[in-house]
Amino acid sequence: MPADIFIAFAYTHCGMKKLTDKCKDNVELLKNILTSEDILVFGFETKDGAACAAVYADGMTDKALLGEQIARPLSAENAPGTANEAAKLLQAPEIKKEKDAAKIADEVLAGNTALFIDGVSEALIAGMKKLSMRAIMEPPGAVAVKGPREGFIEDLKTNMSLVRNRLRTPKLQFKTLTAGKQSKTAIAVGWLEGIADEEIVKKIENKIGCIEIDGIPDSSYVAKFLAERPGSLFKPAGTTEKPDVLAAKMLEGRVAVLVDGSPIALTLPYLLVEDFQGAQDYFVSPYRASASRILRFLGVFISVFLPAFYVAAQLFKLQILPLSFLLTISGSIQGIPLSPSLELFFLLLVLEILIEASVRMPKYVALALSVIGALVLGDTAVKAGLVSSSAIIITALSGISAYTVPDLVGTTSILRIAFVVVAGSIGTYGVVLTTALILYYLVTADAYGAPMLAPFSPIVRRDLKDSLVKTSLYGLDKRPEVFKTKNETRLKNEGAKVNHGQN
């Protein structure tokens, strides 16, 4: 019988059988489900000779705690008659009772310890996880000059504690769910009671409960199942690796989703304008924050449209460009064997290959690769007459500008190539028409009751204060209107009057 069929059979038949008051029989029952060699049994006796056994997964349990908090207290006392009496003897802070063998097996696989005692027909589950994990540090993809440096790691409970440390209120609620038939991945849904929309919370919980997949290695898997428009080119949910950013979004009325094994938290509902807002914007002056956001918007615009307009300018001689500029472009492409659209498409393809290679290579090799790709290959290609110097500049500027908004790099890369193809086929009219179609798609996108292009479409005047232009802190006294939160006030205006001497 194949191993997976045997385990499923054991879960079905053994899990339905209740435990007995015999320690040996209970251990055998559990070992019929967990047949792997790394599932260990630590046997010992109480003071009056009653048999006890602790079942745990090797490498996932703190053996020192097992000895100190379970074996030593029980060895010094007579055998307890009930599970409640046994729980009082143990010194472990996390203790719960369980009768179902399948659920006990799940607890052991999660890193907890199952304790069986002769004369007790229930198992005691002690939380003694000891997993190898990296230290809390600044996320490499969310570096900020000002503001907190800590970031999420791959442990769910640690991430929940980081959020709890930021929001020390009883209104912060977490509900832990499980998904993945084989991985049994824990997923925590977090929200602020009285601020977040309860209907959205229930909808997210239902979608997670309906996930039918073997394993969930990362939160990106969960995001796919939470998407209102599967297969969309744009992100289905907001993402962040910083607890302070997640806490701020939850205070606005969003719902957080944390996945065990992933350092990236999801936030819903998601607005496109979020990706143009940086964590550092709230630690600098509103003027600097507004300038940074406008630069990010211009960076994305340049990244997507500049190569397309360059191709259209060569093929269709756009009259909106100065004549001297057109003559310069025309002079630089003399003798180039490729058409303008093929030339840009080839260079963009080489750029994507260099990016993919540099990401997957060791750090020092990637640095050498960048130098070779950018300087040696580019300079040689221009001297050989394969590509023009102006095309190299356009490609480099477009590639650099995309990283002003790192969360949209994947989307902008695809749109950039698509617009180049359209510009080379139809020209400027094709670029305008494609832009209109994308805008129509975004305008009609409505995920969890929040339009993706809000607060611009539809226009929400109150939310414009924290969009591409950011006002002062006192101007953000209300939560975003688009989320329809129950409690709209987040700042008392009396504080502004006091600070301005208007008592």
Side-chain angles (χ1 to χ4, degrees), residues 197-444:
D197 190 340
E198 298 289 342
E199 294 298 324
I200 295 178
V201 176
K202 293 179 181 179
K203 188 174 182 179
I204 293 173
E205 291 177 359
N206 292 335
K207 282 182 174 288
I208 294 176
C210 294
I211 295 177
E212 292 289 341
I213 191 173
D214 284 344
I216 298 180
D218 185 71
S219 59
S220 59
Y221 278 61
V222 180
K224 301 295 188 300
F225 290 101
L226 295 177
E228 295 281 76
R229 286 188 172 186
S232 173
L233 181 61
F234 296 88
K235 293 193 315 181
T239 56
T240 181
E241 294 184 62
K242 303 191 67 177
D244 59 302
V245 175
L246 183 62
K249 291 187 176 183
M250 294 175 71
L251 287 170
E252 290 183 343
R254 293 179 178 88
V255 180
V257 178
L258 300 170
V259 180
D260 194 21
S262 175
I264 300 176
L266 306 177
T267 57
L268 294 163
Y270 163 69
L271 305 179
L272 188 62
V273 73
E274 293 179 37
D275 291 329
F276 296 92
Q277 300 169 342
Q280 186 175 311
D281 295 350
Y282 299 91
F283 303 104
V284 297
S285 69
Y287 305 105
R288 175 57 185 170
S290 300
S292 298
R293 293 180 181 182
I294 293 173
L295 283 175
R296 293 174 197 138
F297 176 79
L298 290 176
V300 172
F301 183 86
I302 290 173
S303 175
V304 174
F305 291 103
L306 183 60
F309 278 116
Y310 173 78
V311 171
Q314 291 189 56
L315 293 177
F316 300 96
K317 308 298 181 184
L318 297 183
Q319 300 301 319
I320 60 174
L321 298 178
L323 180 60
S324 57
F325 185 63
L326 285 174
L327 292 176
T328 301
I329 295 177
S330 300
S332 65
I333 63 175
Q334 293 295 327
I336 302 299
L338 300 176
S339 65
S341 56
L342 286 178
E343 180 187 21
L344 255 295
F345 184 83
F346 171 73
L347 288 175
L348 291 175
L349 181 62
V350 171
L351 175 64
E352 295 297 330
I353 292 175
L354 289 174
I355 292 174
E356 290 294 322
S358 62
V359 169
R360 286 160 177 77
M361 282 188 172
K363 181 172 61 175
Y364 300 107
V365 178
L367 180 61
L369 177 68
S370 300
V371 174
I372 294 174
L375 298 180
V376 179
L377 291 181
D379 184 62
T380 304
V382 172
K383 289 181 178 179
L386 297 178
V387 295
S388 63
S389 57
S390 57
I392 293 285
I393 295 174
I394 294 296
T395 303
L397 182 59
S398 175
I400 295 172
S401 299
Y403 283 89
T404 56
V405 184
D407 289 336
L408 290 178
V409 168
T411 302
T412 54
S413 298
I414 296 174
L415 290 177
R416 178 171 54 202
I417 295 176
F419 274 110
V420 167
V421 173
V422 171
S425 305
I426 309 175
T428 312
Y429 296 107
V431 174
V432 174
L433 180 59
T434 306
T435 303
L437 291 175
I438 293 174
L439 288 176
Y440 174 77
Y441 177 84
L442 291 174
V443 166
T444 56

